[in-house]
Amino acid sequence: MEIIRSNFKSNLHKVYEAIEEADFFAIDGEFSGISDGPSVTALTNGFDTPEERYQKLKKSSSIDFLASQGFDFNKVFCNGIPYLNHEEERQLREQYDEKRLQSNGAGALSYVSPNTSKCPVTIPEDQKKFIDQVVEKIENLLQSEESKNLDLEPCTGFQRKLIYQTLSWKYPKGIHVDTLETEKKERYIVISKVDEEERKRREQQKLAKEQEELNDAVGFSRVIHAIANSGKLVIGHNMLLDVMHTVHQFYCPLPALYLLPISSKCLFHEVFPACCLAQGDLNEFKEMTTCVFPRLLDTKLMASTQPFKDIINNTSLAELEKRLKETPFNPPKVESAEGFPSYDTATEQLHEAGYDAYITGLCFISMANYLGSFLSPPKIHVSARSKLIEPFFNKLFLMRVMDIPYLNLEGPDLQPKRDHVLHVTFPKEWKTSDLYQLFSAFGNIHISWIDDTSAFVSLSQPEQVQIAVNTSKYAESYRIQTYAQYVGKKREEKQIKRKWTEDTWQEVERKRLNTQCISYALNHYYHTNSLTATSTVGKRNLSPSPAEADLEARISGEISDTELEQTESCAESLSEGKKKAKKLKRMKKDLSPAGAIPDSPAKLFEVPDTW
């Protein structure tokens, strides 16, 4: 069944039922476009660290890839289902709440008298005549036995706000107020004479309509929230980018390299609330992801790991699906429910997200059941909740990374030595053949381009690394250094940049505080002296007197220590990272499913720490 904007609401209950009944979910967002196209070397490198790969994926685009696969972009805009993330939903709810408060007379323009429980709203002078005319029309409506409704002329939002607040105070009973739109999209107010029972009924209808509008705006996010709240296993194939997009679009923006304020009193803090200190964001992404999806499984990683690694040669989704139909695997038999036509694996529909998700699920079932054959006695069907598959949880495959096969969402990532890897810089004109020629004396090598003028070169024999480095000592056109030297220099550059940024802003802060306090002290000094001065006023020398200079020096000395201590403490207390951590904890509390399966170590299979 294809669900689009026009039938989403009517079929949402079926989606909820399917989520409730499912053992696991298979997802695919068709975001794997970085694996194709001319920019692949600029986006991926065989020796990326997990942090570097995460940053590159955030910047990647799958538009070209989707277009090459015949993706219908017009369908997205015409029939796509709307959605909001958490922050957008919160803002929209606040807008509805504010409108409701205004209609009840509790908005910003109303006030409470100390003598009465109800009192008039404050109305600007230029609007009093307008409000008086509205009140007069309502009085006529209430006195008329024939008229039941009154349509006011279209007016501004501010005028509608005044009308709502005035009528809420003046007519707490007997009328119902509502806002409608003309064909020209002009908004106007309708006043109806009603008894108290009818008024309450209409208010309930209005509230239900607002809630429906809000749910319509949240849209497809409701499905993602239901999946997350279920706590069930979510499966994908090479799914890191799918997970990143899902969290970003339906929950909150992905953590970025954010900056922390040195001081709440920082000169630029009011304009740029985040400034001065760069912080990493991969760990924050991990925590955010496990809050949303507590259990993830990547079938590409699963197929690349023992006991599958030796019997599965190609882990691309299409080839994996074919291989798992053969011995020693036992593919599942799929029966579609009535009214839900199934995909036919005999006629491939690769790179259609629904089909890819479908065969990802089939691949998982086949591999999970194969693990059951190692038990004694063998088990034909292995559940998504089985401890046999726990070693594969929350490890997402890293594409084209030589020695770090996965991103570990539940702890630190693998840190291979890379003592056989060299970092080489060279002229822009060089090609791969030039690098092979340069290292021709060192046997088999592997080249991973970084950009037009640098690359990583891995040697088959680590003991030859220093020899290769020594060959470049007197070279003019190229330079070779060990991977450790390369990482060390990058770390030094970051520390220097961070220290420079910190020192620069502290100096700006110091000067600002000095200037403010000196200015105040000197003004106070001259003002005090002027009280005892004679009436004769002469020109003051542009150079400060010894007393002034001494005062200025004393003030400067006092500021430098105490204010900088405050500066450092403010940097910690106002840390954006701590704010985000608190937000994530609240999100985790909201999303934690009841009866979640406790963590326990698996005994039979382990995803290795070294590859």
Side-chain angles (χ1 to χ4, degrees):
M1 172 183 284
E2 182 178 51
I3 296 181
I4 56 177
R5 180 182 301 177
S6 60
N7 66 351
F8 174 70
K9 190 187 301 185
S10 60
N11 287 290
L12 185 58
H13 71 283
K14 294 180 181 178
V15 176
Y16 284 153
E17 289 172 2
I19 291 172
E20 182 68 26
E21 296 171 0
D23 291 317
F24 66 88
F25 310 101
I27 66 170
D28 188 276
E30 275 317 312
F31 296 124
S32 55
I34 65 158
S35 61
D36 289 66
S39 61
V40 61
T41 53
L43 286 169
T44 61
N45 182 278
F47 293 101
D48 281 340
T49 63
E51 291 85 354
E52 291 168 337
R53 179 57 58 88
Y54 169 71
Q55 294 295 339
K56 290 178 180 181
L57 288 177
K58 283 204 304 180
K59 300 173 185 177
S60 68
S61 170
S62 55
I63 297 296
D64 293 339
F65 175 76
L66 293 175
S68 70
Q69 299 299 324
F71 186 81
D72 188 349
F73 291 97
N74 288 327
K75 192 173 184 180
V76 172
F77 295 107
C78 295
N79 300 316
I81 303 169
Y83 63 90
L84 297 176
N85 64 28
H86 267 310
E87 179 60 21
E88 293 165 340
E89 181 181 349
R90 183 191 65 78
Q91 292 177 1
L92 186 59
R93 289 188 185 278
E94 286 183 353
Q95 291 175 14
Y96 275 105
D97 291 341
E98 179 63 22
K99 283 174 60 179
R100 199 173 300 115
L101 287 173
Q102 290 175 12
S103 66
N104 292 332
L109 291 178
S110 62
Y111 67 90
V112 177
S113 168
N115 300 321
T116 59
S117 59
K118 291 278 188 176
C119 63
V121 63
T122 302
I123 300 173
E125 286 294 328
D126 61 337
Q127 298 294 331
K128 284 184 176 180
K129 183 179 178 181
F130 170 78
I131 295 298
D132 288 342
Q133 290 173 348
V134 170
V135 171
E136 184 179 352
K137 291 179 181 179
I138 294 173
E139 289 289 350
N140 294 334
L141 172 68
L142 294 175
Q143 293 173 9
S144 171
E145 295 182 358
E146 298 178 358
S147 301
K148 296 293 183 182
N149 301 303
L150 171 65
D151 293 355
L152 300 179
E153 293 294 322
C155 57
T156 66
F158 179 68
Q159 288 174 325
R160 290 195 301 274
K161 182 177 182 178
L162 289 176
I163 292 172
Y164 268 103
Q165 293 178 334
T166 301
L167 300 188
S168 176
W169 160 72
K170 196 171 182 63
Y171 306 101
K173 295 181 179 180
I175 65 170
H176 177 263
V177 185
D178 201 2
T179 300
L180 301 178
E181 275 189 356
T182 66
E183 292 181 355
K184 296 180 180 180
K185 300 296 182 182
E186 295 175 323
R187 307 192 79 182
Y188 67 97
I189 286 178
V190 177
I191 291 107
S192 305
K193 285 195 300 186
V194 294
D195 57 25
E196 186 61 15
E197 184 178 345
E198 177 64 15
R199 187 186 69 81
K200 288 182 179 179
R201 188 186 68 81
R202 292 194 182 189
E203 286 298 326
Q204 289 174 350
Q205 284 183 338
K206 184 178 179 181
L207 189 62
K209 182 180 178 183
E210 288 179 354
Q211 186 61 45
E212 184 179 6
E213 290 174 353
L214 182 59
N215 288 336
D216 289 345
V218 175
F220 191 75
S221 297
R222 298 166 69 187
V223 175
I224 302 298
H225 297 166
I227 292 174
N229 290 334
S230 74
K232 295 177 181 179
L233 181 63
V234 177
I235 293 166
H237 189 83
N238 195 15
M239 69 187 303
L240 175 56
L241 201 55
D242 297 296
V243 171
M244 290 173 66
H245 275 283
T246 301
V247 172
H248 179 77
Q249 298 293 352
F250 300 109
Y251 280 90
C252 52
L254 292 176
L257 284 175
Y258 56 88
L259 301 171
L260 302 180
I262 279 186
S263 169
S264 60
K265 301 177 184 177
C266 181
L267 178 62
F268 296 104
H269 181 67
E270 293 179 4
V271 181
F272 305 107
C275 59
C276 307
L277 300 177
Q279 298 291 322
D281 57 345
L282 180 60
N283 289 335
E284 191 179 341
F285 164 72
K286 291 180 179 182
E287 185 176 357
M288 182 185 296
T289 300
T290 51
C291 282
V292 177
F293 300 116
R295 295 194 300 161
L296 295 170
L297 186 145
D298 194 323
T299 52
K300 188 171 182 70
L301 178 67
M302 191 176 184
S304 305
T305 308
Q306 297 293 1
F308 305 102
K309 186 177 181 180
D310 292 338
I311 53 179
I312 297 176
N313 297 324
N314 190 334
T315 60
S316 67
L317 184 56
E319 295 303 316
L320 178 62
E321 190 266 335
K322 292 177 183 177
R323 177 66 184 90
L324 293 175
K325 289 179 178 179
E326 303 169 353
T327 306
F329 302 103
N330 185 21
K333 295 179 181 179
V334 180
E335 293 182 6
S336 299
E338 186 177 349
F340 293 86
S342 174
Y343 285 109
D344 182 4
T345 56
T347 57
E348 293 183 349
Q349 295 170 265
L350 294 171
H351 302 305
E352 179 186 318
Y355 179 78
D356 285 358
Y358 171 67
I359 61 175
T360 296
L362 296 182
C363 290
F364 165 72
I365 294 172
S366 295
M367 288 190 288
N369 289 343
Y370 177 71
L371 294 179
S373 65
F374 291 86
L375 296 176
S376 181
K379 193 172 183 179
I380 299 176
H381 300 293
V382 174
S383 165
R385 292 179 291 274
S386 171
K387 294 189 186 313
L388 287 174
I389 60 173
E390 284 186 8
F392 305 101
F393 284 177
N394 295 331
K395 296 177 176 69
L396 305 185
F397 187 79
L398 288 177
M399 191 79 168
R400 293 195 178 98
V401 178
M402 301 291 295
D403 47 9
I404 307 177
Y406 60 85
L407 179 72
N408 184 11
L409 295 177
E410 293 186 320
D413 293 297
L414 303 179
Q415 294 183 340
K417 284 186 177 181
R418 294 183 174 176
D419 53 359
H420 64 298
V421 180
L422 298 168
H423 177 263
V424 188
T425 55
F426 41 80
K428 189 175 182 179
E429 296 75 25
W430 278 32
K431 295 180 173 55
T432 303
S433 57
D434 296 306
L435 290 173
Y436 274 115
Q437 183 176 355
L438 178 64
F439 289 92
S440 59
F442 296 92
N444 293 330
I445 64 171
H446 179 85
I447 299 171
S448 294
W449 284 78
I450 301 173
D451 52 36
D452 291 341
T453 60
S454 63
F456 290 121
V457 176
S458 60
L459 306 183
S460 56
Q461 301 178 32
E463 59 271 15
Q464 294 182 323
V465 165
Q466 196 55 50
I467 301 173
V469 172
N470 292 338
T471 61
S472 71
K473 283 185 176 180
Y474 305 104
E476 295 181 359
S477 59
Y478 65 91
R479 176 174 174 77
I480 302 175
Q481 60 182 335
T482 65
Y483 182 82
Q485 291 172 332
Y486 165 76
V487 171
K489 287 186 178 180
K490 281 188 68 175
R491 189 179 294 115
E492 286 178 9
E493 289 173 0
K494 287 182 179 179
Q495 290 175 345
I496 292 171
K497 186 176 181 180
R498 177 173 176 170
K499 189 176 187 307
W500 178 86
T501 307
E502 183 177 352
D503 291 346
T504 301
W505 285 103
Q506 284 187 351
E507 183 63 24
V508 170
E509 183 72 358
R510 187 202 301 267
K511 289 181 179 179
R512 183 186 73 85
L513 292 169
N514 284 354
T515 302
Q516 285 184 343
C517 294
I518 291 170
S519 175
Y520 169 78
L522 291 177
N523 286 339
H524 180 71
Y525 172 80
Y526 290 123
H527 177 69
T528 303
N529 287 349
S530 67
L531 296 177
T532 58
T534 63
S535 58
T536 304
V537 180
K539 292 183 178 179
R540 188 166 68 87
N541 196 324
L542 293 177
S543 301
S545 66
E548 295 167 8
D550 180 61
L551 174 66
E552 197 168 320
R554 280 189 286 113
I555 295 171
S556 178
E558 291 171 2
I559 294 300
S560 61
D561 295 330
T562 58
E563 288 299 328
L564 283 179
E565 288 177 6
Q566 294 177 5
T567 291
E568 292 171 358
S569 64
C570 288
E572 296 176 1
S573 62
L574 295 177
S575 166
E576 287 293 330
K578 290 186 178 180
K579 293 178 183 177
K580 290 191 176 185
K582 289 181 180 178
K583 184 177 180 182
L584 286 168
K585 287 181 180 178
R586 288 196 300 270
M587 183 189 298
K588 190 165 187 176
K589 185 177 180 182
D590 293 339
L591 294 177
S592 295
I597 298 172
D599 294 334
S600 59
K603 301 294 185 184
L604 188 55
F605 305 105
E606 293 292 343
V607 177
D609 290 336
T610 57
W611 287 54

